[in-house]
Amino acid sequence: MSDLGIVDYSTGEIVGGLNYGDVITSQEELQRRSKEKKKRLERETYSRNMKEKFFFIRSNTRFEPLSTASLARLVYLNTFSNYHGRLMITERTPMRREDLSNILRLGRTATNVFWAEVSPEYVIEDEQGNLLVNQAWFLRGRMKRKQFCQYQKIFDVGVRKLYISVNGRTHKHLGYIFSLLPFINVEYNLLCYNPYESCIDSVKLMSIAEFCECIEYSVNHVDRLLKIYNSITFEVNGRQERFCTITYNGINKHNAKICVNPHVFYIGHNFEAVKIIGAFCRE
């Protein structure tokens, strides 16, 4: 039997009981605890991401004259590289040129076009017929923090899940984003003109119209572009998230801003802020 009763004042009914020494937790405190739990889970997710396999790309690299489709395929291909730059199907099985079609999920013609674009500048075939990536462009292993601003960190798992979630025709849309790595803000993963700015209010954002100009895409078809990017999702921790989010005030879509999912690439140290800014989860 309880020492004290809890009464519903609207009905006068006793709806519960308390004993001396019981602690009453307010609704505000419960909400605060819920928010703290959510933040803790975000920190744990960030910690796991930092332990994932990753590689670096020089952040000022434009990868010209690769087509944007070939660039997306090249980034995906590099997720198979080891610390020596060798492309490996498994830990003990080196990748050869004849494996590319299957690895890249492409037909023979598209694979040949890809090879003609990337070899030998980005992918090298050695005397034994094994493939390597050019480590002047791609690098694995840890580096000093002061070097981070010169590189972008690419996550193997995120890139692989993203790549296999789309068909070959959409590879170029992944490549559009990878081609603009020099314009990615290192802290907020926003396309902008001052990528090393750490104050969010001072970031000079790139609009979707300016993005179209950079990738030589007609701004008259921006609705089609928005629809395509809104449809590109991949699995993150058991749920679908967007590759990037394009947001605007609902009035002028040409002023929309672009934020890229940090599970694909991210070099900064404010992972939680990027997830909040981007709101990548698909409803």
Side-chain angles (χ1 to χ4, degrees), residues 153-164:
K153 182 189 283 186
I154 315 292
F155 294 104
D156 288 6
V157 171
V159 169
R160 288 192 186 186
K161 288 185 176 181
L162 173 64
Y163 184 90
I164 66 176

Side-chain angles (χ1 to χ4, degrees), residues 9-229:
Y9 282 104
S10 62
T11 64
E13 181 183 1
I14 297 177
V15 295
L18 291 172
N19 294 314
Y20 290 112
D22 287 349
V23 177
I24 300 175
T25 304
S26 68
Q27 189 65 30
E28 291 77 9
E29 175 61 17
L30 291 174
Q31 291 176 351
R32 187 193 67 79
R33 292 180 183 180
S34 177
K35 289 179 180 179
E36 284 297 321
K37 181 179 179 180
K38 184 177 180 181
K39 287 182 179 179
R40 185 175 68 254
L41 291 174
E42 289 283 358
R43 286 194 296 269
E44 291 172 356
T45 299
Y46 172 72
S47 179
R48 287 196 298 272
N49 286 334
M50 294 304 99
K51 294 177 181 178
E52 286 182 5
K53 288 184 65 179
F54 57 84
F55 60 93
F56 295 100
I57 295 179
R58 290 183 181 274
S59 58
N60 60 352
T61 302
R62 295 298 296 271
F63 289 103
E64 296 172 345
L66 289 185
S67 68
T68 52
S70 287
L71 174 55
R73 293 160 186 166
L74 178 62
V75 172
Y76 170 71
L77 186 65
N78 198 69
T79 66
F80 293 87
S81 67
N82 64 17
Y83 287 95
H84 305 290
R86 293 192 173 276
L87 291 169
M88 306 294 291
I89 298 176
T90 67
E91 287 187 5
R92 297 188 177 184
T93 306
M95 190 182 300
R96 302 174 67 86
R97 184 175 172 183
E98 56 264 31
D99 299 316
L100 288 177
S101 181
N102 183 53
I103 294 293
L104 295 173
R105 301 172 176 237
L106 299 174
R108 181 178 299 176
T109 300
T111 303
N112 289 339
V113 170
F114 170 76
W115 179 255
E117 289 190 33
V118 302
S119 175
E121 179 66 20
Y122 301 106
V123 182
I124 303 163
E125 187 175 23
D126 69 14
E127 294 179 355
Q128 289 74 43
N130 300 325
L131 302 182
L132 304 87
V133 294
N134 188 338
Q135 291 186 294
W137 306 106
F138 303 101
L139 180 67
R140 282 199 187 271
R142 296 189 179 278
M143 58 177 61
K144 295 178 181 179
R145 185 75 198 181
K146 65 180 182 181
Q147 293 178 288
F148 273 25
C149 65
Q150 303 169 27
Y151 293 85
Q152 185 57 258
K153 182 189 283 186
I154 315 292
F155 294 104
D156 288 6
V157 171
V159 169
R160 288 192 186 186
K161 288 185 176 181
L162 173 64
Y163 184 90
I164 66 176
S165 73
V166 300
N167 58 42
R169 294 188 301 274
T170 310
H171 289 168
K172 64 182 179 182
H173 293 89
L174 306 184
Y176 288 150
I177 299 295
F178 289 123
S179 71
L180 295 179
L181 286 181
F183 295 94
I184 298 291
N185 184 274
V186 298
E187 288 298 333
Y188 303 107
N189 262 29
L190 291 159
L191 275 168
C192 69
Y193 294 103
N194 50 345
Y196 303 120
E197 176 57 59
S198 60
C199 176
I200 185 66
D201 294 329
S202 299
V203 175
K204 299 176 182 177
L205 297 172
M206 177 186 292
S207 70
I208 190 69
E210 293 165 332
F211 174 68
C212 287
E213 183 178 351
C214 286
I215 64 175
E216 298 181 353
Y217 189 97
S218 174
V219 73
N220 295 325
H221 301 304
V222 69
D223 285 334
R224 181 189 307 168
L225 192 66
L226 291 172
K227 184 177 180 180
I228 291 171
Y229 278 114

Side-chain angles (χ1 to χ4, degrees), residues 38-39 42 259 262 270-280:
K38 184 177 180 181
K39 287 182 179 179
E42 289 283 358
C259 187
N270 206 344
F271 193 91
E272 292 179 26
V274 178
K275 295 285 285 187
I276 293 171
I277 293 169
F280 299 101

